[in-house]
Amino acid sequence: MRKLKQPLIWLVAALFVGLNVLVLGRLLDLGPAAPAATGVPAAADARPVVRVGVISRYAPTLIYDAYQPVMDYLSAAGAHRYELKLSASYEDAAEQLRRGEVSASFFGAWIYARLGPSLGLAPVLAPRGEDGGASSRAVLIAAAASPLRSVADLAGRRVALPSRDSYAAHWFAATCLGAAGLAAADLDSVHHFGYHQTVVYRVLDGRFDAGVVKESVAREFGGQAIRVVARSGPYPGPPLVIRAGDRSPALAEMVELLLTLDPADARDAAVLRGWDNEFSRGFVAVDARTYEPVVRLLDEGGGP
Amino acid sequence: MIPRLPPAGSLRTRILLTTGATITVIMMVVSWGILVQWRQTVLAKERSYAHAVARAFSVTALEALISEANELAPAEGFLDGYIADFMRQNPRLRFIAVFGPDGGQVARSVDGPRALAAPPLPPADAAADPASWFRRHDGPGWLLETGLPLTTGRKCWGSVALGFEAESVRRELSRIFFLLLGLVVAITGAMLLVLWVLLDRLLRSLRDLVGAMDALELAGDGPPDLPARDDEIGVLFRHFQEMGRRLGRSRRELISAQEQVYHAERLAAAGRLAAGVAHEINNPINGVRHCIYAIRSDPDNREQTLAYLQMMDEGMEQAASIVKKLLGFARKQAPAREAVDLNAAVASVTRLLSFDLERRGVELRLDLQPDLPAITGDTQLLQEVLMNLLLNAADAADGSGAVQLSTRAGGDGRVRIEVADRGQGIAAQDLPRIFDPFFTTKATGEGTGLGLSISLGIVEAHGGAIDVVSEPGAGTTFTVTLPAEATP
Ligand SMILES: Nc1ncnc2c1ncn2[C@@H]1O[C@H](COP(=O)(O)OP(=O)(O)OP(=O)(O)O)[C@@H](O)[C@H]1O
Ligand SMILES: [Mg+2]
């Protein structure tokens, strides 16, 4: 028994030391080994591609944030793979559509009225407005703490506007100011931004006293920080535009999928909630006649 | 001779080894725990740093990829310039690679002195969360690589992979390790040192105690001398001193008990004598009575009266001599140094006992060697020995035969007295104890168990010995050997 004890103690000691070395070796190493880096991408989507154009007036990542969820929904629900196609200008976008590089394009109401009819393009749907139709509105906003109470107070003020090619900018120049008895020259300065959100930021940070944006964007910022000073009458919202007479099944599928989205339906509402605020009520069908008032306005006064 | 303590101090070695091993094991386990925890914290910190850098890089990379896919390419070589700039700004970066959605490499950092030569691979699953891992490369050693998918919504634009040098992390981990190792060694060493000192003091105290034990003499007086201490060792010392004191006390008690026993034995012997004495005195008194009766019945016979008076005188003289002897026996005297004629001593003892023996039907046969050499000693004490042996023999042979007493002069100048009986003998298990004081097999009142003990003391005081040979059922022989020139 005593004879056995001695080697046993040495054995245990040796085991302990060995274990120590092993554990410490592992602890001092930085492993675990790298995961097998195969580089094989997720199974490629082999379905036919349908491209949808968007004008890139601002950061591409922001445009994707706003429109990619729509493409994801269409790809998941339809038989095609829907991809966004950005273009540098409205002219490019219209040209791409005309050449067939894209099947449809998100246009502004104003730009459609300016380019669409002459290039043989037709609107198919637009975001649903609060009246249930394709209506949209523009609003004049000021910071909540601003002393601005009416359009008339704008004299000598700095005003931020969206793109020259937007209905909102046009409404401000052609209608809003005039109704208050002011002219563009009465203002301190006017600046156009590519992105409606940028207008809100500039008003909020005080670099501009007032700004004009789509009502949907003003709503995004809630009622606390900004205040609506004036509101335009309804006008048709920004349409999805196609080549007139295009009867391709992919297009039919896309229009169908978007028009059937019902905000009253819980599943559809969940889908719409993830999208840009402008699309929150879904879409309604439109045609060239819907935009005739805008076309007329354009013919009358030209751009701001 | 017993060594005071084992030279190597095996107790100390064992305690030191066991404690050292235990402390080491505990410290190692604790160190493991700390190291594991520390490692996790360090690695998690590194990972989150890598993720943050990768995220910062990916924003612009994503924009570049999107622009490129939409043919909105900003400036030519934008991504390459961005990568080079990013590499410059972050000195820990070793490579940056951008992959397309198909896994093909779109752009990557240029190989340089601190950049990686082999092209990195894209993350395994581009759609997964940012993943990071450590990998060892031939040139720069350990790298922390992190992969991040570039997505908008469900669309994947590709991925980026960034590699950070991780050798510094490794160095930090091993620095922690060596720190812990140093701590373990230092703490274990310090504890063992303290333990060694304590053990040394303890063992020195033990050595003191062992020394005191060795020095303790039963004959000496007073408790053993040890330093006063107020710890457990002190308690041990005090108990040892108390034990020494008790030993001394019991030795003194033993001596006084022996003295008492000696006196008691003398009293007992005197009692035994009384019976014999009464008989001895009765005989002459009866004779005197008989003479008086005879004279009274014929007072006128003058001749006869004179003869009877002569007989009466002899009887009175005998009685007087018995009383004188008894007085001499009972009187406590210092042991004398005189020439003793053992045959005469035997004769006087047997005379005293003859009545008692006769009454009990025990025949006493004497075989005395004539011209036995005289020895030096105390006659009275030696007579006591003889009487004790004879009484024991008579007790054993009670009613069943003879007791033989013989004296012999040995060739070696010694004298031997033998008392043999044919009695019941002594049981083997009693034999070693018969000389113990108060050992007796006799009924209470019949034996005190002192006889043999006292006798042995007397014989040994004369420089002699008592031997006994006994066979149960057959008889017992006691042999007293005394030197011719015995001195008490
Ligand atoms: N001759 C003998 N034969 C058998 N047993 C003996 C003999 N002599 C001694 N013993 C045993 O030894 C014992 C001790 O004897 P010891 O003379 O010391 O005491 P004791 O005779 O019992 O009492 P006492 O004090 O009256 O002599 C006896 O009780 C007896 O058992
Ligand atoms: Mg006796």
Side-chain angles (χ1 to χ4, degrees):
Chain A
M1 194 54 210
R2 272 197 77 82
K3 245 186 191 170
L4 242 160
K5 221 164 124 187
Q6 197 84 347
L8 211 73
I9 288 172
W10 283 114
L11 192 73
V12 169
L15 273 180
F16 179 72
V17 169
L19 196 74
N20 244 315
V21 169
L22 211 80
V23 170
L24 286 175
R26 284 214 53 72
L27 284 182
L28 286 182
D29 243 8
L30 290 178
T38 56
V40 177
D45 191 344
R47 294 178 299 173
V49 177
V50 177
R51 291 186 199 284
V52 180
V54 185
I55 297 103
S56 173
R57 286 171 317 214
Y58 39 89
T61 43
L62 292 177
I63 292 176
Y64 271 89
D65 282 345
Y67 290 93
Q68 183 64 39
V70 182
M71 299 299 112
D72 290 344
Y73 162 72
L74 291 173
S75 298
H80 299 79
R81 181 151 66 91
Y82 291 83
E83 291 274 3
L84 284 175
K85 175 80 178 138
L86 271 55
S87 54
S89 67
Y90 281 110
E91 283 76 11
D92 280 356
E95 191 57 26
Q96 281 170 0
L97 189 55
R98 204 182 57 77
R99 282 205 305 268
E101 284 172 31
V102 296
S103 303
S105 236
F106 286 103
F107 270 42
W110 188 258
I111 205 68
Y112 163 74
R114 186 156 73 80
L115 300 176
S118 58
L119 289 173
L121 307 178
V124 281
L125 49 81
R128 180 179 281 131
E130 50 187 354
D131 59 358
S135 69
S136 172
R137 284 170 195 269
V139 289
L140 176 71
I141 57 160
S146 159
L148 266 176
R149 285 287 168 261
S150 67
V151 183
D153 296 338
L154 280 178
R157 303 286 184 155
R158 299 155 297 174
V159 179
L161 298 178
S163 157
R164 267 172 231 283
D165 285 331
S166 69
Y167 180 85
H170 175 78
W171 164 76
F172 177 71
T175 313
C176 185
L177 278 180
L182 292 173
D186 296 327
L187 304 177
D188 173 71
S189 64
V190 168
H191 189 87
H192 291 275
F193 292 94
Y195 192 35
H196 286 251
Q197 270 84 346
T198 318
V199 171
V200 180
Y201 291 134
R202 292 297 85 84
V203 170
L204 282 177
D205 66 21
R207 284 191 239 174
F208 288 87
D209 301 305
V212 176
V213 289
K214 290 189 276 194
E215 196 174 31
S216 65
V217 172
R219 226 183 296 131
E220 240 177 77
F221 286 85
Q224 294 118 326
I226 54 172
R227 185 158 46 78
V228 173
V229 178
R231 195 159 175 252
S232 78
Y235 65 93
L240 182 69
V241 176
I242 59 164
R243 286 182 300 281
D246 188 346
R247 299 260 178 278
S248 69
L251 200 58
E253 179 190 77
M254 175 166 73
V255 171
E256 160 84 9
L257 282 173
L258 290 177
L259 285 179
T260 50
L261 277 172
D262 177 8
D265 178 80
R267 280 249 303 276
D268 289 351
V271 170
L272 291 170
R273 222 172 297 131
W275 293 6
D276 193 275
N277 196 33
E278 192 166 27
F279 306 143
S280 62
R281 292 194 188 87
F283 299 88
V284 289
V286 295
D287 55 26
R289 282 194 310 267
T290 317
Y291 290 87
E292 273 168 7
V294 188
V295 174
R296 257 198 316 277
L297 256 180
L298 189 74
D299 291 344
E300 280 165 19
Chain B
M1 179 182 156
I2 315 161
R4 286 210 170 169
L5 280 179
S10 68
L11 186 66
R12 167 167 39 195
T13 315
R14 230 177 307 153
I15 290 177
L16 284 179
L17 274 181
T18 321
T19 318
T22 312
I23 295 174
T24 310
V25 168
I26 291 172
M27 294 289 295
M28 284 323 278
V29 171
V30 170
S31 302
W32 284 356
I34 294 175
L35 199 59
V36 167
Q37 201 56 45
W38 211 321
R39 180 178 186 272
Q40 262 169 12
T41 314
V42 167
L43 295 192
K45 193 190 82 191
E46 287 299 317
R47 283 211 171 88
S48 69
Y49 167 75
H51 291 164
V53 174
R55 279 231 168 72
F57 176 78
S58 71
V59 173
T60 306
L62 177 63
E63 212 147 309
L65 283 183
I66 291 175
S67 298
E68 202 160 320
N70 288 286
E71 289 147 20
L72 299 170
E76 197 179 290
F78 169 78
L79 202 50
D80 297 306
Y82 179 57
I83 289 176
D85 195 46
F86 211 82
M87 289 282 285
R88 249 195 313 283
Q89 281 174 22
N90 194 320
R92 286 193 57 196
L93 269 173
R94 289 295 175 269
F95 72 77
I96 297 176
V98 181
F99 303 92
D102 57 351
Q105 190 175 290
V106 174
R108 61 160 304 192
S109 52
V110 184
D111 300 339
R114 65 179 174 88
L116 194 68
L121 295 168
D125 186 358
D129 266 344
S132 64
W133 57 89
F134 290 91
R135 181 162 32 186
R136 195 206 286 277
H137 295 262
D138 282 341
W142 283 97
L143 289 191
L144 167 58
E145 297 174 13
T146 192
L148 190 63
L150 302 174
T151 54
T152 53
R154 254 176 267 163
K155 181 166 175 62
C156 176
W157 293 96
S159 57
V160 293
L162 283 82
F164 300 83
E165 64 82 21
E167 280 299 313
S168 60
V169 182
R170 220 183 111 82
R171 274 198 301 278
E172 187 177 344
L173 282 182
S174 55
R175 203 178 54 238
I176 294 165
F177 165 70
F178 282 114
L179 190 83
L180 286 174
L181 189 73
L183 270 178
V184 169
V185 170
I187 292 178
T188 310
M191 286 180 123
L192 286 184
L193 192 75
V194 170
L195 199 66
W196 190 86
V197 170
L198 288 179
L199 278 177
D200 199 57
R201 288 182 53 185
L202 183 78
L203 290 180
R204 203 172 314 141
S205 316
L206 277 182
R207 228 174 286 134
D208 286 351
L209 188 62
V210 171
M213 279 175 170
D214 282 355
L216 182 71
E217 292 293 343
L218 280 183
D221 276 329
D225 189 26
L226 281 170
R229 298 173 60 124
D230 52 5
D231 54 4
E232 286 85 345
I233 295 285
V235 172
L236 191 63
F237 282 5
R238 282 198 293 283
H239 277 268
F240 176 67
Q241 282 169 329
E242 185 53 35
M243 191 185 81
R245 248 176 248 127
R246 274 206 306 276
L247 272 177
R249 205 159 43 233
S250 59
R251 190 177 64 88
R252 284 190 296 279
E253 279 166 8
L254 184 67
I255 289 170
S256 84
Q258 270 174 352
E259 277 165 6
Q260 281 167 22
V261 164
Y262 189 78
H263 281 119
E265 170 58 19
R266 290 188 73 82
L267 284 175
R272 290 256 185 169
L273 272 176
V277 166
H279 171 70
E280 289 293 317
I281 291 175
N282 249 7
N283 269 353
I285 286 176
N286 279 339
V288 170
R289 257 213 195 127
H290 181 73
C291 291
I292 291 172
Y293 176 74
I295 291 170
R296 200 177 275 157
S297 60
D298 189 7
D300 301 324
N301 189 342
R302 188 181 147 81
E303 200 171 321
Q304 186 193 274
T305 301
L306 280 177
Y308 278 128
L309 282 174
Q310 176 63 33
M311 281 167 77
M312 282 167 74
D313 189 38
E314 278 173 17
M316 296 312 268
E317 200 152 299
Q318 195 185 345
S321 106
I322 287 167
V323 169
K324 189 177 154 212
K325 271 180 199 161
L326 180 63
L327 283 173
F329 194 89
R331 196 188 312 130
K332 198 186 170 197
Q333 285 170 331
R337 276 175 56 90
E338 60 202 9
V340 182
D341 179 356
L342 280 176
N343 282 344
V346 167
S348 73
V349 170
T350 50
R351 215 169 28 248
L352 282 171
L353 291 181
S354 59
F355 169 74
D356 186 39
L357 296 179
E358 220 169 278
R359 186 175 55 88
R360 292 157 65 176
V362 176
E363 183 195 342
L364 180 64
R365 290 185 204 142
L366 295 177
D367 174 12
L368 305 179
Q369 180 176 326
D371 51 78
L372 198 66
I375 61 157
T376 315
D378 189 311
T379 315
Q380 242 173 54
L381 292 179
L382 289 172
Q383 278 177 344
E384 213 176 312
V385 171
L386 289 172
M387 195 163 69
N388 273 325
L389 293 180
L390 282 173
L391 282 172
N392 280 352
D395 287 346
D398 209 359
S400 63
V403 171
Q404 167 105 26
L405 196 161
S406 53
T407 54
R408 289 280 180 279
D412 49 1
R414 289 171 166 257
V415 179
R416 247 186 294 282
I417 309 157
E418 220 172 70
V419 181
D421 65 72
R422 300 212 169 273
Q424 82 270 25
I426 304 170
Q429 74 267 21
D430 289 341
L431 206 51
R433 298 160 63 203
I434 53 172
F435 290 101
D436 293 350
F438 303 112
F439 174 80
T440 178
T441 58
K442 292 164 193 171
T444 17
E446 285 177 31
T448 61
L450 288 170
L452 282 181
S453 143
I454 292 296
S455 301
L456 183 64
I458 293 170
V459 170
E460 283 180 343
H462 282 78
I466 304 181
D467 293 312
V468 56
V469 177
S470 177
E471 203 176 308
T476 310
T477 304
F478 282 88
T479 309
V480 176
T481 314
L482 288 166
E485 292 302 319
T487 38

